[in-house]
Amino acid sequence: MSKNEERHSVSKMSSSLKENLLDRMRNTHQSSEKNRMARFERDVPPPVRRKQTKFEDLPEYKQVVTQKAASDQLGIANPFYRAHQTAAGATTVIDGRKLINFASYDYLGLNRHPHVLSQAHDTINSFGISASASRLVAGERPVHAELEERIAAFYGVEASVCFVSGYLTNVAAISCLMGPKDLVVHDEFIHNSALAGIKLSGATRRLFKHNDASDLEHVLRTVAGDYRHILVIVEGIYSMDGDIANLPAIMKLKAEYGFWLMVDEAHSLGILGRRGRGTFEHFGIDPREVDIWMGTLSKTTSSCGGYIAGSAALAAVLKASAGGFVYSVGLAPVLTASAIASLDILENEPERAAALKRNGALFLKLAQEAGLDTGLSGGFSVVPVLVGDSLRAVQLSNDLHAAGVNALPIIHPAVPEGLARLRFFITSEHTEEQIRQTVTLTAEKLKDLTERNFGLASIDIQQMMKMLSSR
Ligand SMILES: Cc1ncc(COP(=O)(O)O)c(C=O)c1O
């Protein structure tokens, strides 16, 4: 056999061997697939089509329908979702009527400030509207880094990271940092976004009595279990009640027990402290001693989004692993630039924070003099007027609306039934006259409802339910 013939027969042999091998593999695969299917048919019961619930049958939907039918029956208009026909500030326009407005977060009156508007316009001209994708995946715009540096400098900490909403900031940060082996202890009045973050994290959750440092200590002392990390969450100014967290007492516990401390500054940024720096300035605390500063960009900075500020390592962890950052679009450049412009004004015009404090204190004083129940409010950005049940709160809001004041009710389940309220957001732009007029009208309208015994107590709920279900 020549060398060539030898090579040819070997390659022929190897290709037939290959075919053979492949055939055997195919057969083995087919027979194991057949066996698998046979086992499946023998062991797995046939499909049962579940009865799929219609959304109309959900108890949550039935509750919405019943509430609407009940308010229609009682002739109570829905105070929610009314459309503003202008940018809402100390005044607004709804249904063509100019109203004094206490229902917007624009605490320092920056939403229409020329500096904010011109920065917003310039940014739209250069970058359009959207960040178009996640910053991690598709890159960012210069304003993103600029805003994060500004926020870090504002708190005197190493770094910050911004998210597309304040709500998402709490959800993303808490669920990223905490896990099933951890413990979160929070004030009982903490915002829903923090609760959502804790739930998502899978951490054990304990609450302490509102603004009660000794109860927090009791919880810290009695928690059983060996947790990996402990996080305590409070709000600078509480969103529903308007009082300030007892931060010095909590810092003392932090030094004693050792935990991460997170402070939500949604309603205190630009408000507390001589220069509006927030809770740390109010108490003269070194901001670096708080592990996690959280805030929203939708309130004082009249934009949208939220931030976490703290150590460089904290920001790095969130940027690398927080789902709400990694898998969500970057903050729109125009909103980022607007927040930067608002910070410029906040820093350069401390008189705005001073005006807000004057207005808050005046509102609180007048309301208390008029016999209104302002609960725990310290008279800053948020002053609630507690009125009892949800129905009465809704009607009071409607009566004020008719009289020329826009202030919205907070009703069950956002607050416990019986603690329904109107919540007044105070801004630096409100005039003394607007505040006086609003307090007087609120006291008058509430007195009228009380004299008419208007509220849930005056209604035969059983009777009404019967009537509604027989429709
Ligand atoms: C205390 C607190 N945290 C977080 C948020 C969520 O912020 P945003 O409305 O900007 O999403 C709010 C909203 O009102 C709030 O009151």
Side-chain angles (χ1 to χ4, degrees):
M1 217 187 269
S2 72
K3 274 256 182 241
N4 258 349
E5 283 168 338
E6 211 174 47
R7 231 181 265 131
H8 183 66
S9 82
V10 168
S11 84
K12 246 175 84 186
M13 249 176 69
S14 63
S15 70
S16 70
L17 250 175
K18 252 194 254 164
E19 271 307 312
N20 203 322
L21 252 170
L22 277 172
D23 267 357
R24 278 170 59 186
M25 277 166 70
R26 265 184 225 117
N27 288 341
T28 320
H29 179 70
Q30 276 165 6
S31 74
S32 71
E33 184 60 20
K34 260 191 216 149
N35 287 344
R36 202 177 68 81
M37 287 307 289
R39 264 205 318 277
F40 181 80
E41 270 152 28
R42 196 183 59 233
D43 299 341
V44 179
V48 181
R49 195 179 189 293
R50 278 164 48 87
K51 186 178 168 309
Q52 201 179 359
T53 313
K54 287 199 230 131
F55 293 127
E56 288 78 359
D57 292 335
L58 291 177
E60 293 82 356
Y61 180 70
K62 288 192 167 148
Q63 194 186 352
V64 172
V65 173
T66 310
Q67 272 169 358
K68 170 146 186 1
S71 39
D72 287 352
Q73 185 75 25
L74 294 166
I76 299 176
N78 181 356
F80 306 108
Y81 299 107
R82 289 183 177 129
H84 296 249
Q85 291 152 321
T86 182
T91 60
T92 189
V93 178
I94 295 176
D95 287 332
R97 289 171 60 230
K98 186 169 176 185
L99 306 169
I100 302 172
N101 183 39
F102 281 94
S104 300
Y105 294 133
D106 186 13
Y107 289 132
L108 299 186
L110 304 180
N111 196 20
R112 279 175 294 193
H113 192 287
H115 177 59
V116 176
L117 293 185
S118 84
Q119 294 298 302
H121 284 142
D122 288 354
T123 309
I124 287 178
N125 290 339
S126 303
F127 296 100
I129 305 296
S130 174
S132 301
S134 158
R135 287 165 58 188
L136 177 79
V137 175
E140 51 189 32
R141 310 295 178 273
V143 279
H144 289 130
E146 194 188 333
L147 177 61
E148 288 170 352
E149 279 161 25
R150 284 292 295 277
I151 292 172
F154 188 90
Y155 285 99
V157 296
E158 288 172 352
S160 85
V161 51
C162 290
F163 298 79
V164 286
S165 101
Y167 193 99
L168 176 72
T169 304
N170 270 333
V171 173
I174 298 168
S175 64
C176 170
L177 295 170
M178 307 306 282
K181 291 184 180 156
D182 302 326
L183 170 70
V184 184
V185 189
H186 63 86
D187 188 287
E188 63 179 323
F189 288 180
I190 204 77
H191 193 259
N192 179 277
S193 51
L195 294 177
I198 300 166
K199 196 169 173 193
L200 185 60
S201 75
T204 303
R205 179 173 77 91
R206 293 280 178 277
L207 51 82
F208 62 96
K209 284 189 202 131
H210 177 55
N211 221 358
D212 185 339
S214 52
D215 195 44
L216 170 59
E217 177 160 26
H218 176 73
V219 173
L220 291 168
R221 273 193 183 197
T222 52
V223 278
D226 187 12
Y227 296 102
R228 193 182 55 152
H229 307 301
I230 298 180
L231 172 67
V232 172
I233 312 178
V234 297
E235 287 177 27
I237 289 181
Y238 282 90
S239 65
M240 295 292 171
D241 294 79
D243 54 336
I244 306 176
N246 186 355
L247 212 48
I250 294 167
M251 302 291 294
K252 246 168 109 185
L253 292 179
K254 177 173 157 56
E256 211 171 316
Y257 288 86
F259 49 76
W260 287 336
L261 176 60
M262 176 171 186
V263 184
D264 180 335
E265 289 283 273
H267 300 273
S268 25
L269 171 75
I271 291 134
L272 292 180
R274 195 174 53 80
R275 295 166 305 155
R277 299 258 159 172
T279 314
F280 75 82
E281 192 182 34
H282 176 84
F283 285 116
I285 284 169
D286 180 347
R288 290 168 301 184
E289 285 178 17
V290 167
D291 306 278
I292 307 170
W293 290 104
M294 180 272 164
T296 78
L297 301 171
S298 63
K299 299 178 172 59
T300 300
T301 59
S302 67
S303 176
C304 189
Y307 62 85
I308 296 288
S311 71
L314 169 68
V317 167
L318 295 178
K319 279 189 171 175
S321 336
F325 182 87
V326 173
Y327 300 102
S328 189
V329 68
L331 190 60
V334 58
L335 295 172
T336 316
S338 307
I340 296 170
S342 291
L343 284 178
D344 291 340
I345 302 163
L346 198 171
E347 288 175 347
N348 295 331
E349 300 179 20
E351 58 275 18
R352 286 177 184 268
L356 184 140
K357 281 195 222 50
R358 265 199 315 279
N359 285 345
L362 177 67
F363 194 109
L364 186 70
K365 175 175 158 291
L366 294 176
Q368 287 173 346
E369 282 169 7
L372 295 171
D373 180 358
T374 51
L376 304 168
S377 179
F380 296 97
S381 45
V382 180
V383 182
V385 170
L386 279 74
V387 300
D389 66 58
S390 297
L391 200 61
R392 184 182 286 216
V394 168
Q395 189 57 39
L396 179 59
S397 172
N398 283 338
D399 290 348
L400 280 175
H401 186 84
V405 175
N406 189 44
L408 287 196
I410 304 289
I411 58 177
H412 180 74
V415 289
E417 193 52 90
L419 291 178
R421 62 200 64 189
L422 255 54
R423 196 165 50 147
F424 293 85
F425 294 121
I426 315 295
T427 78
S428 57
E429 303 303 283
H430 285 115
T431 63
E432 184 176 333
E433 180 49 31
Q434 287 167 338
I435 292 170
R436 286 186 183 279
Q437 201 180 329
T438 298
V439 172
T440 306
L441 280 168
T442 307
E444 263 174 39
K445 300 294 172 196
L446 184 57
K447 183 162 172 265
D448 181 47
L449 290 176
T450 309
E451 282 171 3
R452 284 164 46 208
N453 194 24
F454 186 95
L456 281 175
S458 63
I459 294 168
D460 185 339
I461 298 278
Q462 301 300 340
Q463 182 65 26
M464 166 137 14
M465 288 305 183
K466 237 195 244 159
M467 196 170 67
L468 292 171
S469 59
S470 66
R471 281 171 145 203

